[in-house]
Amino acid sequence: MSDTQATWLTQDAYDRLKGELDELVAERPAIAAKINEAREEGDLKENGGYHAAREEQAQLESRVRQLQELLRNAKVGDVPTESGVARPGSVLTVRFEGEDEEEKFLLANREEGAHGDMEVYSPNSPLGQALLDAREGDVCEYDLPNGGKMQVTLIKAEPFQG
C-alpha cells in the first residue's frame, strides 16, 4: 500500500481508535438484548423502544465498519523523514493566493484529532490532494466548493514532531 492510500495516524491516535472499536464490539450483545426485549413486547409498528434500539444498532455497526476500515489502512507512527515534500504526517506551512499570512497545518486523517491549536487537513480533501507530493516553493491549485479555483504555495513541509 502506498503512503497516499494509507491513513497516517500517530500511535496514540491508533490506540485511542482501537480502544473505541473494542468498546463498540463489546456493546453489540447489550444492544442485541435490547432489541430482543423490545421485540417481545409485541406490535413492532408502534414499538418505540424497538425502533430506538435498531437505530442504535445501525449507528454502532456503521462506526464499527468505519473504524475497522480506518485501522486496516493505517500507517502507524510512520512519520515521513524527508523535509521539503508534502506527505501524510507532514506539517505544512502554506500561503493562499491573495493572503499575506502563512497558515500551518498537519496533513493527516481527521481522526488524528487536534494537536494543540494546529488544524488537521486530510490528504483526501481538495487542499490535501492538491498539496500531496508537492515540494517547497510549488504553487498548487484546487477546486473550491463554489466552483472556483484557489492557488496555494507550499512554503515549508516538515515531518510531524508529536
Side-chain angles (χ1 to χ4, degrees), residues 79-87 90 135 157-159:
V79 178
T81 55
E82 181 182 8
S83 289
V85 180
R87 303 255 194 255
S90 297
R135 298 195 168 279
E158 308 167 289

Side-chain angles (χ1 to χ4, degrees), residues 110-147:
R110 301 289 296 170
E111 293 284 355
E112 183 61 39
H115 293 282
D117 293 335
M118 192 179 311
E119 292 281 335
V120 178
Y121 285 93
S122 168
N124 299 325
S125 70
L127 176 60
Q129 287 179 342
L131 288 167
L132 204 56
D133 297 324
R135 298 195 168 279
E136 290 176 356
D138 285 358
V139 177
C140 304
E141 187 173 82
Y142 64 100
D143 294 326
L144 297 172
N146 67 7

